[in-house]
Amino acid sequence: MNMNSEFVTQDYLPAFSENNPHANVRIDDEMVTIESPWGSKNVAIASPTDNHSFFQELENVRLDPAFDAVIHLDANTVEVLFLYVDPNNEDHASLLNRQFTLHFDGVRFDCSFAEPSKRLMAIARHTQNIPSDDPGRSVPQIAAFRDAQRLDELSDRAKRYFAGKVPINFHIMCHESIDRIDLASLMRHINFITDYYDRRFPEIVIREDLAEAKNTTSWSPRRHIEERLFPAELSIGMIDEVVLQLISVARHAPSRQAFLYYYQVIEYAGHYFIDERARSQMRRFLRDPALVNCDERKIRDFLSLFTTQANQGDDAKMKKVIEDVVNPSLIWLEIEHDRDFFSAPQSFDGGFEMPSLISKDMSEDGWKATWMPNLYDRLTRMRNSLVHARERRENKVILPTIKNNQLIARYEPVIARMAQQIALGML
């Protein structure tokens, strides 16, 4: 290690690493490379080891993976990256020099659109784009702030992009230590109140903790419905168009929405399938050639069809359709495939608690004896918390977080298999 490397390692980088534990700092003789500075792999920061002034600036910087921003710890300021704007553009011109004061949770914040700080421009100057298949791409704006500082190296087409434009960022200066502020909550509140007064106000992108998403246990749903080869011959009737559309959309939707689409299949079938069955029974009764000679017993049977329908609530209808057409043995295959998950209680962000669906030693026979209404009740509680924000009986919420979406995804194969069997059972 040369003198410059040793100097940088001992004097500047420890503070940066402490403030940014998600970043990986690598020193190779004459070069310092900071990998995943904002948490994702698509960008890196690199500088020669003798660039002491730059590394000194990094001592007071936090790069939060949740935001495309530079947090200036010594100035208690968050600088959110925006873009190069055209002053002749009406929407952009309205933002130039816009400033306001926000009072939030007892703290004052001075907010303004202004030109980028020298520190941010220095960081941009030393950034590199890294080829990556990481879906969590961060700070896409940084490339423009970098390229504007090396116009002589750009193509004529790239130079034209910057012609007549000026750079601005959104600065949030806190009148309290920035370390005491819940920045995610602050940004959500800023997004809300600025959109309330100006629907063209730029939204601050808020990413959830990328580390949480990457560190979850690898899991994939069961592939085949049964342990056998794909059937050589298939036969299927015309599936109800509403059910078919719901299932088709659910297959490609995020888990949170997919769960609700599959649940809608159960709701729809509870109304349509049960009502249609009652109508079918009535038709058969009315087509009886001996109806004109029916006795009191037959009249009572006929009237009981109406009484049964009138007395059945939505829950009863949905439970009935599940019990009639869903095969618990096929659902057990999905449960057993993810036994460790379903045999443990799950805590959702927001306070919603889901008790274990099965015991650790439950057998298929035990499942078939207890699966209804046990499974239906759990799926309905989850649905209520998703649709109504709070589960009506427990007043708990399932927040739209990465953790919650991953928990919901584990239930998706189960409710999907139920919806598919209901679709086939309605033929």
Side-chain angles (χ1 to χ4, degrees):
M1 180 179 291
N2 62 31
M3 291 296 292
N4 278 320
S5 298
E6 185 175 357
F7 186 76
V8 168
T9 302
Q10 294 178 355
D11 285 50
Y12 301 131
L13 293 180
F16 176 83
S17 296
E18 183 178 352
N19 293 326
N20 301 274
H22 57 275
N24 178 43
V25 179
R26 180 166 48 85
I27 303 176
D28 300 321
D29 292 330
E30 302 297 327
M31 186 67 66
V32 174
T33 303
I34 301 173
E35 300 169 334
S36 305
W38 279 272
S40 57
K41 299 177 181 179
N42 65 294
V43 67
I45 298 173
S47 178
T49 55
D50 61 358
N51 193 355
H52 295 169
S53 61
F54 176 64
F55 294 114
Q56 190 172 13
E57 290 289 334
L58 293 184
E59 275 192 300
N60 297 302
V61 163
R62 178 183 299 148
L63 307 174
D64 192 325
F67 315 105
D68 293 336
V70 171
I71 302 172
H72 305 275
L73 299 174
D74 52 346
N76 287 318
T77 298
V78 180
E79 183 176 357
V80 183
L81 279 69
F82 190 34
L83 77 167
Y84 277 73
V85 302
D86 181 357
N88 296 316
N89 179 290
E90 182 180 350
D91 289 342
H92 292 170
S94 67
L95 299 177
L96 291 174
N97 301 317
R98 176 181 285 185
Q99 54 187 342
F100 59 93
T101 298
L102 173 70
H103 298 275
F104 170 67
D105 198 25
V107 180
R108 173 182 167 181
F109 299 89
D110 293 331
C111 305
S112 63
F113 283 96
E115 64 182 31
S117 66
K118 292 181 179 179
R119 179 180 287 166
L120 182 139
M121 295 301 280
I123 293 173
R125 195 160 53 246
H126 293 91
T127 59
Q128 302 174 346
N129 287 62
I130 307 296
S132 171
D133 56 1
D134 189 339
R137 298 182 65 81
S138 56
V139 289
Q141 314 93 323
I142 201 77
F145 292 101
R146 178 196 62 217
D147 292 345
Q149 301 178 73
R150 54 186 185 96
L151 289 176
D152 56 329
E153 302 175 24
L154 303 181
S155 66
D156 291 340
R157 180 180 179 182
K159 290 177 182 177
R160 286 195 294 271
Y161 169 79
F162 294 100
K165 293 181 179 178
V166 295
I168 60 170
N169 284 336
F170 186 58
H171 301 255
I172 308 167
M173 199 277 280
C174 176
H175 284 259
E176 192 172 300
S177 172
I178 201 75
D179 290 327
R180 301 178 185 176
I181 304 301
D182 182 344
L183 291 180
S185 178
L186 171 65
M187 300 304 184
R188 282 193 287 267
H189 282 81
I190 289 177
N191 281 340
F192 170 80
I193 198 65
T194 54
D195 180 69
Y196 182 79
Y197 285 101
D198 179 0
R199 284 183 170 158
R200 295 185 183 179
F201 196 100
E203 180 182 11
I204 300 172
V205 175
I206 304 172
R207 297 187 180 87
E208 294 189 72
D209 187 357
L210 296 177
E212 177 186 344
K214 294 173 184 175
N215 292 334
T216 52
T217 303
S218 177
W219 166 84
S220 59
R222 178 186 176 88
R223 179 175 178 179
H224 295 103
I225 190 168
E226 294 183 82
E227 294 297 340
R228 62 184 183 184
L229 296 176
F230 192 85
E233 189 171 350
L234 295 167
S235 176
I236 189 171
M238 187 69 72
I239 294 175
D240 183 282
E241 185 63 24
V242 173
V243 172
L244 194 61
Q245 286 278 11
L246 287 171
I247 292 177
S248 297
V249 173
R251 285 189 62 191
H252 303 286
S255 294
R256 190 180 184 94
Q257 289 93 328
F259 182 94
L260 295 175
Y261 286 131
Y262 287 128
Y263 193 91
Q264 280 186 287
V265 172
I266 303 175
E267 289 181 308
Y268 178 79
H271 289 283
Y272 173 84
F273 184 59
I274 298 300
D275 290 346
E276 181 60 30
R277 174 175 293 180
R279 283 194 290 269
S280 178
Q281 291 173 330
M282 291 177 187
R283 289 190 202 100
R284 287 198 299 271
F285 191 94
L286 293 172
R287 289 170 181 169
D288 184 350
L291 181 62
V292 293
N293 300 314
C294 67
D295 55 19
E296 289 296 324
R297 180 181 58 80
K298 281 198 172 186
I299 292 175
R300 285 197 300 270
D301 290 343
F302 182 72
L303 291 176
S304 70
L305 293 176
F306 295 97
T307 304
T308 300
Q309 283 297 102
N311 292 336
Q312 278 191 334
D314 291 343
D315 276 355
K317 291 180 179 180
M318 293 166 66
K319 290 176 184 176
K320 179 63 175 172
V321 76
I322 292 173
E323 291 170 346
D324 282 356
V325 303
V326 175
N327 184 345
S329 293
L330 295 182
I331 303 302
W332 171 252
L333 294 177
E334 305 293 342
I335 301 294
E336 190 176 37
H337 178 74
D338 205 7
R339 177 185 284 270
D340 289 344
F341 176 82
F342 287 108
S343 61
Q346 304 298 332
S347 298
F348 290 74
D349 290 339
F352 182 81
E353 300 284 338
M354 180 68 81
S356 59
L357 180 62
I358 62 171
S359 62
K360 292 185 180 296
D361 59 353
M362 179 172 278
S363 65
E364 181 178 353
D365 288 339
W367 166 254
K368 289 162 72 173
T370 61
W371 78 290
M372 280 293 289
N374 190 27
L375 176 58
Y376 170 82
D377 290 342
R378 281 163 170 74
L379 296 178
T380 299
R381 287 180 54 211
M382 186 182 296
R383 178 264 183 192
N384 289 343
S385 284
L386 291 172
V387 172
H388 303 296
R390 292 186 178 274
E391 209 282 326
R392 288 174 289 185
R393 290 175 296 177
E394 298 185 35
N395 205 32
K396 302 294 185 180
V397 62
I398 297 179
L399 294 172
T401 64
I402 288 178
K403 174 188 174 182
N404 285 351
N405 292 341
Q406 291 168 339
L407 293 176
I408 294 169
R410 307 293 275 271
Y411 280 89
E412 188 180 336
V414 174
I415 195 170
R417 190 63 78 197
M418 294 172 68
Q420 291 167 343
Q421 290 185 70
I422 288 172
L424 294 174
M426 291 176 67
L427 292 175

